[in-house]
Amino acid sequence: MKETRGDKIFRVVVAIILLFVNIIMLYPFILVISLSISDPQAVLRGEVVFLPVGFSTEAYNKMITTPNFWMSYKNTIIYAVVGTVITLALTSLTAFPLSVAKFRSRKYLNLYYMITMFVYGGMIPTFLVIRSLHIIDTLWAMVLPGALSAYNIMIFRSFFQGIPDSLHESAYIDGANDWRVLFSIILPLSKPVLATIALFTMVRHWNSFFNALLYLNSPDKYPLQMILRNILIGAEQLDKDSGFEDFAKRSVTEALKAASIIITTLPVICIYPFIQRYFVKGVMIGSVKG
Amino acid sequence: MGKKNSTTSVPAQVKHVKKVSENAFLYDWKRNRNLLWMSVIGVVVMFIFNYMPMGGIVIAFKDYNLFRGIWGSDWAGLKHFRSFFGDPYFGRLLRNTFLTGFWTFIFTFPAPIILALMLNELKDGMYKKVTQTITYLPYFISAVVVVSLMKTMFSGSGPVNQIINAMGGQTILFFNEPGWFRPLYVGSAIWQTVGYNSIIYLAALSGVDPTLYEAATLDGATKMQKIINVTIPAISGTILVLLIMNIGSVVQVGFEKVFLMYSPGTYETADVLSTYVYRRGIQGREYSFGATVDLFNSVISMTLLVIANTIARKVSGEGLW
């Protein structure tokens, strides 16, 4: 099919609009990178609007020596890893029976899980339940609520159902039980969906702020996002308190804010390409087939 | 179906169907015990973290007692509802929640459709791939970082104010002015979600039959006419399902971003039901009152969902249920 002149112009216009969209998407990231490595004095004078002005790693040095920073980094990694393992284990176990045709209870169990997609107890009742379990201010408050979601169960179930029946049937004939079928046949064949959900869950834990705000009291257990927020609020407070007098201090906090954003976000940006490979698939399974 | 039965002993199964067809759990206890065991942990976890809070909502009708817990506390009737409806902030909270949700929905719902339509016009290649990668990225950025990026962009000496100043305007302190809360909230919501939410529409678009376009071309349709008459009708089913799924969000304004963005100076437009629950319920420890607001919020969003679904079924015969 030949392209007409009008079609060509149309395509060019679309490409130009998308160029602007790309710039808007990327600009904030470029700006903070520039702010974080520029000369702090230039940052404060408002000279940094796109590319770095001067060069300084002062903000990063300060960041690395900030107390609690590395601890919160470690905490976040622990929450993300433990939370992801729990999510994968729970979701696999829960979703597998739902994919087995001979299992009659699956209709009722399915309904039981799906209801939770539409009905939510609310912030306060959830908080009170978690408190009554005595897991406030522990790792468990960070990894258990939300570990099992109807949405993930649905995605796992559709994937398991897509595995040819003949595979597990032959295993059953050979005398394997359901556990064996799940661990030796289904899960090894489900690596793509396990990887997808693992990456999404990890990012969710990495970015999570709400659970920590509600369920943690001790600063030494705070995840990265809480510390990041405190740094940003602290910087704002300093702005208000010191006005323009404490020039040196302020100049560092501006860059410090930027540096803390970069250090916090870098891991997510690093695993983003791996997520992107999978997530087109993940989104489709979840939403279209729903 | 036939294949499945042929491998196992058919007569035995038929007999069981007759005997215990009224109780699936009994049947599975006898024949699929392992599968039941596997389900136990999921059922328990869901019960604790989802169903117990649902039941715990009764605390809205009680006076929460720290030592006696949700179930042991005394009943209080509709006391907390009366005080919530009589609350001086009631009107403001309702208006803010609804308007924030409404404008977010109005802008973030069509934006990914438009982006997907534009991406669909590009030829497959580097530019399309790069654009997709860039536009999907903000979805994976945390709320804390999104808000700090905004505060950097819109600070008194930030690039936005520099542009305003260069054009002769006065510096605007965006985060201190109630009038700017909603534009910032909605704008950043578009920035975060437009790319990622376009994925599903792109998937639907890739399924459109190319012969439809060829036929339209033969009929002399322009690009725009093809988009309106071929492309959009082809993805209208997807649009409708997502529309219903998202309608409840009009009153479910996310807590995190508002909480990170607002300050007492902007409560006037920024304070929503969920942030009020946090301040009164968690910080003020008025658990029963907080639960009342929670319940109120859930009931409205459920109602909206049911209404949207009913309308969708009437209009197009499709719905979530």
Side-chain angles (χ1 to χ4, degrees), chain A residues 1 3 7 10-11 14-19 21-22 24-29 31-32 35 44 46-47 49 90 93-94 96-97 100-106 108-109 111-113 115-116 118-133 135 144-146 148-150 153 165-166 169 173 177-179 182 200 203 207-210 213-214 225 228-229 232 236 257 261 264-265 268-269 272 275-276 279-280 283-284 287-288, chain B residues 3-4 7 13 16-17 20-21 24-25 27-28 32 34-39 41-54 56-57 59 64 66 70 115 118-119 121-123 127 129-145 148-149 151-153 157 159 162 190-191 194 196 199-200 203 213-214 217 223-224 226-227 241-242 255-256 259-260 274 277-278 281-282 287 290-291 294 298 302 305 320-321:
Chain A
M1 198 172 27
E3 217 178 23
D7 288 354
F10 189 85
R11 201 189 294 279
V14 166
I16 291 170
I17 296 172
L18 285 174
L19 183 67
V21 173
N22 283 329
I24 294 171
M25 291 288 160
L26 276 186
Y27 178 69
F29 295 110
L31 179 68
V32 282
L35 286 172
L44 201 59
E47 284 167 12
V49 286
L90 272 180
L93 274 183
T94 312
F96 174 63
V100 181
K102 62 174 182 173
F103 187 50
R104 295 218 182 136
S105 314
R106 66 184 191 146
Y108 306 101
L109 288 172
L111 182 70
Y112 175 83
Y113 302 132
I115 284 174
T116 63
F118 299 101
V119 190
Y120 167 56
M123 191 192 293
I124 302 292
T126 309
F127 174 80
L128 293 177
V129 165
I130 284 168
R131 207 173 61 170
S132 71
L133 296 171
I135 56 170
L144 287 179
L148 186 60
S149 77
I153 293 176
D165 285 340
S166 54
E169 260 158 37
I173 291 170
N177 64 18
D178 298 311
W179 295 94
L182 173 61
F200 270 88
V203 171
N207 289 340
S208 148
F209 160 75
F210 182 71
L213 182 73
L214 250 63
Q225 301 293 334
L228 178 61
R229 174 177 170 254
L232 299 166
E236 262 170 43
K257 269 198 320 200
I261 291 172
T264 317
T265 313
V268 173
I269 295 190
Y272 171 68
I275 305 181
Q276 210 199 348
F279 69 35
V280 174
V283 169
M284 280 167 59
S287 313
V288 180
Chain B
K3 214 174 166 189
K4 229 166 260 163
T7 53
Q13 249 184 4
H16 271 279
V17 171
V20 292
S21 61
F25 289 109
Y27 174 86
D28 286 326
N32 300 312
N34 283 328
L35 295 174
L36 276 182
W37 281 124
M38 276 181 204
S39 304
I41 185 162
V43 168
V44 170
V45 168
M46 278 270 176
F47 183 79
I48 295 173
F49 292 101
N50 296 83
Y51 283 90
M52 273 167 64
M54 283 181 215
I57 205 83
I59 203 65
Y64 184 72
L66 188 60
I70 294 173
L115 180 65
M118 288 201 286
L119 284 169
E121 291 305 315
L122 295 182
K123 282 182 183 153
Y127 188 60
K129 266 216 181 95
V130 170
T131 305
Q132 281 176 292
T133 304
I134 290 174
T135 49
Y136 300 168
L137 180 63
Y139 185 81
F140 297 90
I141 304 303
S142 76
V144 179
V145 169
S148 18
L149 288 177
K151 288 195 170 173
T152 307
M153 295 278 296
S157 56
Q162 289 196 18
I190 300 173
W191 184 78
V194 63
Y196 187 77
I199 296 175
I200 185 134
Y213 291 111
E214 280 162 32
T217 312
K223 260 268 134 82
M224 218 52 201
K226 274 186 253 179
I227 289 174
V241 170
L242 290 172
F255 168 83
E256 284 191 11
F259 177 77
L260 292 161
S274 57
V277 170
Y278 177 77
I282 303 281
Y287 298 119
D294 264 339
S298 306
M302 285 290 285
L305 182 70
L320 288 182
W321 64 82

Side-chain angles (χ1 to χ4, degrees), chain A residues 3 24 83 86-87 92 129-130 155 163 221 246-247 288:
Chain A
E3 217 178 23
I24 294 171
I86 290 178
T87 293
S92 308
V129 165
I130 284 168
I155 291 174
I163 295 171
K221 294 189 178 113
D246 208 342
F247 204 73
V288 180

